[in-house]
Amino acid sequence: MILLTVLVATLVIAVCLPVLGQRVLERRIVFVDLALAQVAATGYALGMAIDVPGVFAAAATTATAVIFMAMMDEETPLPKEAVMGGVYVFAASVGMVLLSLLPYGEGQLMGLLFGSVLGIDWQGIGELALFSGIGLALALPNHANSFSGRIRFYTGLSLIIVPAIYAIGVLLVFAYLVMPALSVWRRGHNGPAWEALTLAAIASIVGTFAADLLDLPPSATVVLTLAVIAVITGTIIHFNNLGPEEAEAPDNEKEEKVEEKPEGILGSEQTK
Amino acid sequence: MPQLKRGSELHLVALLLLLITLLSAAPATAKTIVVATVPALAQIAQAVGGIDIEVKSLTRVGQDPNVFAPRPGHVRLLTHADLLFSVGFGLESSWLASLIELSGNENIKPGSAGYLSGGDAIEAIGVPRGMSSQQMSEWSPDKNPYWWLDPELGIKVARALSVRLSEIDAVNSARYNHRLHLFEQAIYEALPRWRDYMQINTGAVITYHNTYVYFMQAMHIELAGFVEPRAGIEPSTRHMDNLLEVIREKHVQLIWVEPYNNRAIAKRLADAADIKMMVLPDAVDGYGTEGYVGMFDKMIERIARWSQ
């Protein structure tokens, strides 16, 4: 019974997150999900400190962060990852200071940041799908590199990511956002979305059943399965693309090497 | 002349002696400062020490003592402490040792007269919860630190505390002993009532971690299982589905969760089995015996209410 909700929940994110991940990857803002989740959690703690319902406070701080991020031009000379990292540590530190002042804050903030796929029920899955649907509708269509365009994109992004992390945890969200898109990434650009989506869905099914069979924690097992499938797919795609195109455009060789780097980083994250 | 010289030497010695006496007398009149690591231990210390000691608690009600992040103020508290009263059995292992080191207070180091932990007075049971596997490897795996949730173990440790306080502050020894007696009396009076209440009101129970194992033993409550058997490690779907079976077989009606734990998983299990999940405190605000006994009163009242 619980196996079934876990399976469906991981399938829902397998459908929603990889496509979004491709948008995130091409903009080089991978840390945006951690930053947004942390800002929301800090907002929740702030809400408890000033006696405002946590959800509203979280929405307010997340909206502020969205406006802040949207102010940054997409062609900005600033390294965007560094800005996202900065937002993350700033929010985390504010949260820590707030928590130290709140006697009961700790558990609730942890609960907000680290949801678990085991905790989600059918209603939660419905909400997750609803938020993801609205989020994708906002974030996926091409947007102009203007303030309003970027606001739409980041709003969509936060509508998917924050509830998803709250419902099923950072580990799964981060993995499904980054790994499938990275796996089908080729020649410095995104690969076809259906490929990313398919391998994500296979990982959900295989990972969930493997965890149940082997009596292992589902989140981590699904992520590991996804990692294995992503690496295999990525390797096949990589060698398939070293064909005639390579001879035609030797300039691409440089890009190929750049492409390998993120996968290496991902690999080391997994081993941690 | 030599006699006169000797006389002035004597005066000097007498003056020095007087000064030493005055200086050493000053701290003797000050109260013994006891710093407890968790609120319930502070209450036990207050129960025994009463107005003769000053008690401070490092963690507050609702805080998880496993992952406490001390601040500079906590170091200062320890600097002036005469006695550090800790739970032991690894509960504070991730932060207390460095805090003692930082305080520079030699009197409260483990092994000295100013350090008393539950481990000095009682034997522990079960597997500790809330520890990382790295911490686990450093501690004997058969130790559960939540002894203060068994009132009789509370009494045992209070006895050890009374002896230790009498050593540090011999003048008030009789008063410590008297208060210890009152503390024991209050608990022994309430214990049968608590047990009766629990017998009527609760069957087998599932808890999130093994925090309440002592409490359940003391109150004769049957433990049906843990939601998260290994702290910090997400349970498997198979474990969760097995628990659903256990709930059906043993007619479990309640899942207890600590105030500082993630409730989503326990709530999901409770909803799937159509039973209730409740947050059970492991400490409440309050002073001395009243506070400590009040904690059990509150726990029992809450369990009884949720079992309806």
Side-chain angles (χ1 to χ4, degrees), chain A residues 48-86:
Chain A
M48 288 193 289
I50 57 172
D51 249 353
V52 168
V55 180
F56 294 122
T61 51
T62 313
T64 312
V66 163
I67 291 169
F68 173 75
M69 287 173 186
M71 279 159 59
M72 193 167 53
D73 193 285
E74 280 181 2
E75 305 301 325
T76 176
L78 274 176
K80 280 182 277 188
E81 285 294 36
V83 176
M84 299 297 163

Side-chain angles (χ1 to χ4, degrees), chain A residues 167-185:
Chain A
I168 60 167
V170 165
L171 205 62
L172 279 171
V173 171
F174 200 74
Y176 273 91
L177 196 69
V178 173
M179 282 180 179
L182 196 58
S183 176
V184 301
W185 184 263

Side-chain angles (χ1 to χ4, degrees), chain A residues 58-123:
Chain A
T61 51
T62 313
T64 312
V66 163
I67 291 169
F68 173 75
M69 287 173 186
M71 279 159 59
M72 193 167 53
D73 193 285
E74 280 181 2
E75 305 301 325
T76 176
L78 274 176
K80 280 182 277 188
E81 285 294 36
V83 176
M84 299 297 163
V87 171
Y88 169 73
V89 287
F90 175 77
S93 305
V94 171
M96 212 177 282
V97 169
L98 279 173
L99 277 187
S100 73
L101 306 172
L102 291 172
Y104 301 101
E106 227 159 29
Q108 296 193 38
L109 189 75
M110 286 295 166
L112 186 66
L113 245 188
F114 305 109
S116 167
V117 70
L118 284 173
I120 199 163
D121 56 8
W122 293 114
Q123 192 192 336

Side-chain angles (χ1 to χ4, degrees), chain B residues 31-32 34 43-55 154-155 158-159 161-163 165-166 169 171-187 287-290 293:
Chain B
K31 284 182 183 176
T32 303
V34 177
Q43 287 162 346
I44 294 176
Q46 285 159 346
V48 176
I51 53 163
D52 298 315
I53 62 169
E54 204 183 317
V55 183
I155 288 176
R159 282 181 194 146
L161 178 71
S162 166
V163 171
L165 281 174
S166 302
D169 173 25
V171 181
N172 290 315
S173 173
R175 292 158 67 93
Y176 295 138
N177 212 7
H178 174 64
R179 285 197 208 97
L180 171 69
H181 181 67
L182 294 178
F183 177 68
E184 288 182 15
Q185 219 174 358
I187 286 176
Y287 182 87
T289 307
E290 212 173 292
V293 169

Side-chain angles (χ1 to χ4, degrees), chain A residues 1-3 5-6 100-104 106-107 111 114 116-121 212-219, chain B residues 60-64 67 71 233-241 244 259-262 264-265 268-269 271-272 285:
Chain A
M1 187 176 188
I2 284 165
L3 174 70
T5 45
V6 169
S100 73
L101 306 172
L102 291 172
Y104 301 101
E106 227 159 29
F114 305 109
S116 167
V117 70
L118 284 173
I120 199 163
D121 56 8
D212 193 70
L213 200 69
L214 302 170
D215 200 17
L216 292 171
S219 304
Chain B
R60 289 172 291 183
V61 172
Q63 259 179 339
D64 183 354
V67 291
R71 298 199 297 268
I233 312 268
E234 189 179 52
S236 69
T237 41
R238 200 207 289 183
H239 175 75
M240 295 279 282
D241 283 324
L244 286 176
Y260 33 76
N261 270 320
N262 187 349
I265 302 180
R268 171 83 186 100
L269 186 70
D271 288 346
D285 287 317

Side-chain angles (χ1 to χ4, degrees), chain B residues 80-101:
Chain B
H80 305 293
D82 297 300
L83 179 66
L84 174 61
F85 185 23
S86 75
V87 175
F89 303 113
L91 185 73
E92 306 101 337
S93 63
S94 64
W95 51 271
L96 190 59
S98 58
L99 203 61
I100 295 173
E101 199 62 45

Side-chain angles (χ1 to χ4, degrees), chain A residues 9 31 34 42 54 56 60 68 127 196 227 241:
Chain A
F31 281 126
L34 289 182
T42 302
F56 294 122
F68 173 75
E127 286 166 6
N241 277 276

